[in-house]
Amino acid sequence: MRPYERDPAAIYAQSFAIVEKEARLDRFAPGMAQLATRVIHACGMVEVADRLAYSSNAFEAGQNALANGAPVLCDCEMVGAGIIRRYLPRGNDVIVTLNDESVRARAKEIGNTRSAAAVELWEPHLKGAVVAIGNAPTALFHLLELLDAGAPKPAVILGFPVGFVGAAESKAELVNNPRGCDFVALRGRRGGSAIASAAVNALAAGLPEITQ
Amino acid sequence: MRPYERDPAAIYAQSFAIVEKEARLDRFAPGMAQLATRVIHACGMVEVADRLAYSSNAFEAGQNALANGAPVLCDCEMVGAGIIRRYLPRGNDVIVTLNDESVRARAKEIGNTRSAAAVELWEPHLKGAVVAIGNAPTALFHLLELLDAGAPKPAVILGFPVGFVGAAESKAELVNNPRGCDFVALRGRRGGSAIASAAVNALAAGLPEITQ
């Protein structure tokens, strides 16, 4: 068997060093560079840095929201599972409504997916929240529809739905008209829950694996 | 707001049709074509089909193991969260040992990561199991070390660790010497928990969203 690196601190340090060497992070402000690093680290692809779109205040808005105790609203359990709880500065709530018992009936009622219906249950928590969408384009589309209809605005929308139907389009809609919310998104088909969780972890703690 | 597809069945059908059109799935036997479809769907990248490595009996070995009630051993909570429980043919156990209370001490003892230490706790469940690694290269490396030391053999190893340090190397080790286990792996840096879960879901149920 070949030798391999077994020390967690060394693995993190080498990983982040490779990202820094390959990804030209100097295009980003410091906070967004940390977020880009975690996103790249989560998917193993330095080139996603080229497709990141974000509002200029997105990192600070999300960081401040978490520092003030805002909840994190996730579109699926995987995003919730990837959020490193000990990094959250205020023991912030991580809320996933997808498997709420009312969701199936609501989806039928509104003629949309369960992921979209689940977003309607975010409404009492939405004002000033951190939204992390890592799976369903319809969750992001429906959130934008709710904002158009006057729903409370989150602090930041982390838009990382993935796939072939609606992912690129929903993120283009978010980027083109963020509706007064700060945002980070990965343009195109790529995305996913590990990337969405990584973005939340960056807002929560930056890169504590190498800076502490 | 632009119009978007809201019908889950239509979204799945369109997604899988795009994958079929772009990915040249005819290179795969039917079961592996379904697994490749789910893997591509999970990450939004048709080109990963070109980096899939697998033993010729991998799909059947995994499918049969699940049909016979084998457990699924996952290296992190996210992989477990992505497994669609209703697709599992025998209500199979999904086991994640990473957060077991003994893991931190064991990691220190063996001089390896928590992910690697957690793999040692798989041993009573390992024989004939489906192993799904979607995060840590050290989990895959250490599993291979345990097999070399005589640990019971799983039915199939789904090797999808991701990242810059050890991911490509651990998967190369798996592919080059699978140690008598069937395997599926994505060569290179790319991988992740969504891909690992997708592979399990394919073994469990194929593509029930369009075939039922």
Side-chain angles (χ1 to χ4, degrees):
Chain A
M1 227 319 250
R2 67 190 80 195
Y4 65 96
E5 182 59 67
R6 295 157 195 253
D7 174 43
I11 293 170
Y12 271 112
Q14 289 175 35
S15 295
F16 292 154
I18 292 170
V19 174
E20 194 172 2
K21 189 173 138 205
E22 296 188 14
R24 201 173 66 70
L25 296 168
D26 59 348
R27 73 184 103 174
F28 301 111
M32 191 55 63
Q34 295 185 325
L35 188 148
T37 298
R38 289 202 94 91
V39 161
I40 291 167
H41 177 252
C43 65
M45 298 183 283
V46 290
E47 68 271 25
V48 295
D50 305 332
R51 311 295 301 273
L52 271 182
Y54 51 96
S55 57
S56 57
N57 194 48
F59 188 86
E60 286 68 24
Q63 188 180 42
N64 291 338
L66 293 179
N68 291 324
V72 185
L73 307 176
C74 311
D75 72 324
C76 65
E77 294 292 341
M78 287 188 85
V79 174
I83 295 172
I84 303 171
R85 296 304 198 275
R86 69 182 181 279
Y87 287 177
L88 291 171
R90 295 280 298 276
N92 311 242
D93 287 334
V94 175
I95 298 173
V96 187
T97 54
L98 182 60
N99 294 312
D100 187 278
E101 56 180 21
S102 70
V103 164
R104 196 171 291 275
R106 192 181 285 242
K108 197 165 266 188
E109 204 177 291
I110 65 172
N112 209 322
T113 64
R114 289 200 304 122
S115 295
V119 168
E120 299 196 356
L121 300 181
W122 293 355
E123 197 139 347
H125 315 286
L126 204 50
K127 190 175 177 192
V130 171
V131 167
I133 296 177
N135 180 39
T138 52
L140 179 52
F141 269 130
H142 196 49
L143 173 63
L144 298 178
E145 288 178 322
L146 296 176
L147 292 174
D148 287 342
K153 289 188 200 310
V156 65
I157 299 172
L158 306 171
F160 297 104
V162 61
F164 300 94
V165 175
E169 298 87 338
S170 63
K171 290 180 284 191
E173 183 73 30
L174 171 66
V175 172
N176 294 339
N177 176 5
R179 292 157 171 91
C181 302
D182 281 296
F183 69 94
V184 185
L186 183 62
R187 287 176 184 276
R189 291 172 168 182
R190 286 185 279 186
S193 38
I195 290 177
S197 309
V200 174
N201 294 334
L203 297 179
L207 302 175
E209 298 84 357
I210 53 169
T211 53
Q212 272 175 3
Chain B
M1 231 311 256
R2 67 190 81 194
Y4 65 95
E5 183 59 67
R6 295 158 194 253
D7 174 42
I11 293 170
Y12 272 112
Q14 289 174 35
S15 295
F16 292 154
I18 291 170
V19 174
E20 195 172 1
K21 190 173 138 202
E22 296 186 13
R24 199 173 67 70
L25 296 168
D26 59 348
R27 72 184 103 172
F28 301 112
M32 192 54 64
Q34 294 185 325
L35 188 148
T37 298
R38 290 202 93 91
V39 161
I40 292 167
H41 178 252
C43 65
M45 298 183 284
V46 290
E47 67 272 25
V48 296
D50 305 332
R51 311 295 302 273
L52 272 181
Y54 51 96
S55 57
S56 58
N57 194 47
F59 188 86
E60 286 67 25
Q63 187 179 43
N64 290 339
L66 293 179
N68 291 325
V72 185
L73 307 176
C74 311
D75 72 326
C76 65
E77 294 292 341
M78 286 189 86
V79 174
I83 294 172
I84 302 171
R85 296 302 198 277
R86 69 181 181 280
Y87 288 177
L88 292 170
R90 295 279 299 274
N92 310 243
D93 285 334
V94 175
I95 298 173
V96 187
T97 54
L98 181 60
N99 294 311
D100 187 279
E101 56 182 20
S102 69
V103 164
R104 196 172 291 275
R106 192 180 285 242
K108 196 165 267 186
E109 205 177 292
I110 65 173
N112 208 322
T113 65
R114 288 200 304 123
S115 295
V119 168
E120 299 195 355
L121 300 182
W122 293 355
E123 196 138 347
H125 314 286
L126 204 50
K127 188 172 177 195
V130 171
V131 167
I133 296 177
N135 181 39
T138 52
L140 179 52
F141 270 129
H142 196 48
L143 173 63
L144 298 177
E145 288 177 322
L146 295 175
L147 292 174
D148 287 342
K153 289 191 199 309
V156 65
I157 299 172
L158 306 171
F160 298 103
V162 60
F164 300 93
V165 176
E169 297 86 340
S170 62
K171 290 179 283 190
E173 183 73 31
L174 171 65
V175 172
N176 294 339
N177 176 6
R179 292 158 170 89
C181 301
D182 282 295
F183 69 94
V184 185
L186 183 62
R187 286 177 185 278
R189 292 172 168 182
R190 286 184 278 186
S193 38
I195 289 177
S197 309
V200 174
N201 294 333
L203 297 179
L207 302 175
E209 299 85 355
I210 54 168
T211 52
Q212 273 175 2

